Amino acid sequence: MAEQMQGDAAVSGSDEAGVTVRVPAKVNVQLAVGGARPDGFHDLANVFLAVSLYDEVTVRPADELRVTCSGPDADQVPLDRTNLAARAAELLAARHGIDPRVHIHIAKDIPVAGGMAGGSADGAGALLACDALWGLNSSRAELLEICAELGSDVPFSLAGGAALGIGRGEQLTELPVGGTFHWVFAVADGGLSTPAVYGEFDRLNEGVDVPEPAASPELLDALRTGDTTALAGALANDLQPAALSLRPSLAATLETGMAAGALAALVSGSGPTTAFLTKDEEGARGVAAALIDSGTCRTARVTSAPALGATVI
């Protein structure tokens, strides 16, 4: 995973034209959530699967650090120092005594605020691109450490493939995947705030003894063997009731996809994007068409998994 990424960066090098990194979206095939910790975070058992929807992050030398963005819903992406791509450049530069005078351009294709880690992907992409542009050849461990500082999902955006994330989700163990899985993602109008969804999770579970999160052995085995039917039976997202509570209209989207032949459906991460696992690519295209025709979502995207992590192109 990351070892290959380091090789790609070293081979590609950098020039005044800049460095471009392609970085994937993710789906949480299992998101087991523990109770709130004293620091406000939640312990997770988060099984990530990278899917073939990508943002491309290009970094070029500039007079000052600035961020631009193009693509669907680009107007919703912050262009100031709160953007994870800008923060990634600053953190990497600070470690090496570099002035982060770069222009970061994000070409969006991952849904914005959709529960597919688009912002995290941009942070990981900018980190790898800056590392290549500045010729730092940082180790896997250093890049993953910076990713964990940026956010819980950022390490997986760098790594790709499939992984189990524990702690806040940032402590990764690579998982074997034995086949290709076909997915449809239904993009909703508007976003859902991840903190708001976790807050609703806490409200719904007030007074409940929330069990310690643990990965499902059945789900891990389904990934390892490439068994789509078994994976469909094991998908789980503890945040789904909270997302549905905040956005009840998502229930109609889930029902539509299942009626169209999806093997399983769930809210992706904290939502509001919904994910549908299908038997094959043909089935995925049928589900996507039905979702678009139903008017229960803004658009639907056909993808496959697993996908490579952040890669210099």
Side-chain angles (χ1 to χ4, degrees):
M1 294 196 310
E3 290 88 345
Q4 181 61 44
M5 293 186 296
Q6 294 308 306
D8 290 339
V11 170
S12 297
S14 63
D15 55 39
E16 287 301 302
V19 174
T20 298
V21 169
R22 187 177 74 169
V23 60
K26 60 83 180 168
V27 62
N28 305 95
V29 290
Q30 182 187 4
L31 181 51
V33 182
R37 308 188 317 201
D39 63 3
F41 289 102
H42 297 72
D43 285 321
L44 304 175
N46 198 347
V47 182
F48 295 102
L49 188 61
V51 302
S52 58
L53 286 177
Y54 303 96
D55 283 357
E56 290 188 0
V57 182
T58 300
V59 176
R60 295 183 174 87
D63 293 333
E64 61 182 1
L65 176 60
R66 65 189 182 98
V67 179
T68 57
C69 186
S70 61
D73 299 321
D75 60 327
Q76 299 178 30
V77 176
L79 302 181
D80 58 14
R81 300 298 177 90
T82 65
N83 189 296
L84 287 180
R87 290 179 56 200
E90 289 179 326
L91 283 176
L92 182 65
R95 287 189 173 221
H96 295 274
I98 295 169
D99 189 345
R101 294 184 298 171
V102 289
H103 171 203
I104 302 170
H105 181 73
I106 301 166
K108 292 295 297 181
D109 197 34
I110 302 172
V112 176
M116 299 186 73
S120 296
D122 298 338
L127 181 66
L128 185 59
C130 286
D131 190 76
L133 183 74
W134 297 332
L136 299 176
N137 296 313
S138 298
S139 68
R140 164 193 169 95
E142 182 178 1
L143 290 179
L144 287 175
E145 185 179 319
I146 296 171
C147 285
E149 288 184 56
L150 289 166
S152 300
D153 287 347
V154 184
F156 180 72
S157 295
L158 187 76
L164 169 63
I166 60 172
R168 292 185 289 110
E170 82 286 5
Q171 301 170 39
L172 296 181
T173 301
E174 182 180 359
L175 297 174
V177 180
T180 299
F181 297 99
H182 297 276
W183 293 87
V184 177
F185 292 92
V187 181
D189 280 318
L192 267 178
S193 159
T194 297
V197 174
Y198 274 99
E200 183 68 359
F201 172 87
D202 291 337
R203 188 188 72 80
L204 293 174
N205 288 282
E206 190 172 358
V208 175
D209 185 15
V210 178
E212 288 294 314
S216 159
E218 294 79 12
L219 183 137
L220 298 183
D221 190 60
L223 284 175
R224 181 183 60 80
T225 59
D227 189 332
T228 301
T229 302
L231 183 63
L235 296 179
N237 180 3
D238 287 353
L239 290 182
Q240 182 161 312
L244 289 172
S245 175
L246 295 175
R247 188 74 68 85
S249 61
L250 295 179
T253 313
L254 294 170
E255 292 165 7
T256 298
M258 290 298 293
L263 299 178
L266 79 168
V267 174
S268 179
S270 58
T273 300
T274 46
F276 302 86
L277 181 63
T278 65
K279 180 180 178 181
D280 51 29
E281 184 177 355
E282 181 181 359
R285 295 193 182 283
V287 169
L291 285 164
I292 292 170
D293 289 345
S294 73
T296 61
C297 61
R298 178 155 50 106
T299 189
R301 305 291 302 278
V302 173
T303 69
S304 62
L308 292 174
T311 305
V312 176
I313 59 174

